[in-house]
Amino acid sequence: VQLQASGGGLVQAGGSLRLSCTAAGRTFSSYYIGWFRQVPGSEREFVAVIGASGGGRSYADSVKGRFTISRDNAKNTVSLQMNSLKPEDTAIYYCAATTGYYSDYTRYDYWGLGTLVTVSS
């Protein structure tokens, strides 16, 4: 499955952004999709993951209550709604495909190119 993240941009602290992850391939609905973020020079950080059918979700503590992950398998899309953004949310955001509710980026098999989110104070 081929993935592409989009929707990043510049936003002020307290604002919102909605990221999208679109996929090519008929097997999209078989995969759990996760979002990660990375600041240059730092480890890739888990943000959220959603089950293949969209019935289950898991979030990093740092984004719980502010971010919401959802998916539309008919449109081969996973979204990440980000509210109450903070400067520390600034990073390149990536979506990736896996087979379980994993927070370890090494468990993900397919990655899209990232999209940059910048939150100004």
Side-chain angles (χ1 to χ4, degrees):
V1 59
Q2 294 176 316
L3 305 171
Q4 177 64 58
S6 62
L10 174 63
V11 64
Q12 287 190 327
S16 299
L17 277 177
R18 187 177 182 87
L19 304 184
S20 293
C21 176
T22 54
R26 291 177 290 178
T27 60
F28 173 75
S29 60
S30 301
Y31 289 97
Y32 294 58
I33 302 296
W35 284 96
F36 288 78
R37 63 189 183 187
Q38 187 171 25
V39 174
S42 299
E43 276 266 309
R44 195 160 290 192
E45 178 189 11
F46 169 74
V47 174
V49 61
I50 188 167
S53 64
R57 297 163 179 83
S58 180
Y59 297 92
D61 288 343
S62 59
V63 306
K64 206 171 290 184
R66 300 188 298 123
F67 291 11
T68 302
I69 189 171
S70 61
R71 72 188 293 163
D72 184 342
N73 284 340
K75 296 182 179 179
N76 276 17
T77 300
V78 170
S79 298
L80 184 69
Q81 178 67 42
M82 306 187 296
N83 299 329
S84 302
L85 283 161
K86 304 174 181 179
E88 52 262 44
D89 294 318
T90 295
I92 300 171
Y93 283 71
Y94 299 88
C95 59
T98 187
T99 56
Y101 292 108
Y102 302 126
S103 59
D104 181 350
Y105 70 89
T106 65
R107 302 299 297 267
Y108 286 72
D109 301 309
Y110 303 97
W111 291 83
L113 295 177
T115 186
L116 176 63
V117 172
T118 304
V119 184
S120 63
S121 56

